[in-house]
Amino acid sequence: MEDPSPTRREQLLAAEQAGRELADALGTFDITLPSLGVDPVSASGTSVAPLLDLGRVPVEMARRLTAVLRDGRPGARRD
C-alpha cells in the first residue's frame, strides 16, 4: 500500500504556492507583506509541515490589513 502523505518537496511547494496566493489576494487590497515567505527553520526540519512567515510589517500596513479583515467578516467589530 502506498503512503498517501505528501513528500517534503510537495509540502514545500504547497507552502510556496500558499504564500503566492496570499500575496496575490492581499495585493488586490494594495497590501504587501514585504517579508512573506516560507519559514526557513520549519522548511529545514522534518517533524512539522513548513510554515509561512508573514514577516515584519510596517504599522500602517498592519492597520490596513486589520481594516480589510474586519470589513470582510460578518459581525466584525468596527472602530
Side-chain angles (χ1 to χ4, degrees):
M1 185 169 177
E2 193 173 315
D3 183 2
S5 60
T7 66
R8 191 63 178 171
R9 177 169 165 66
E10 290 170 334
Q11 289 178 330
L12 288 169
L13 290 172
E16 290 170 352
Q17 179 64 32
R20 285 190 297 273
E21 291 171 3
L22 178 57
D24 288 347
L26 290 171
T28 64
F29 296 98
D30 200 28
I31 294 174
T32 302
L33 302 180
S35 303
L36 176 63
V38 177
D39 169 58
V41 174
S42 65
S44 65
T46 57
S47 60
V48 298
L51 302 172
L52 284 179
D53 185 349
L54 302 182
R56 300 169 0 154
V57 179
V59 172
E60 183 55 34
M61 196 61 61
R63 288 187 172 131
R64 290 171 63 193
L65 178 57
T66 299
V68 166
L69 292 171
R70 285 187 178 149
D71 286 345
R73 196 175 86 219
R77 187 184 83 214
R78 309 257 187 227
D79 290 335

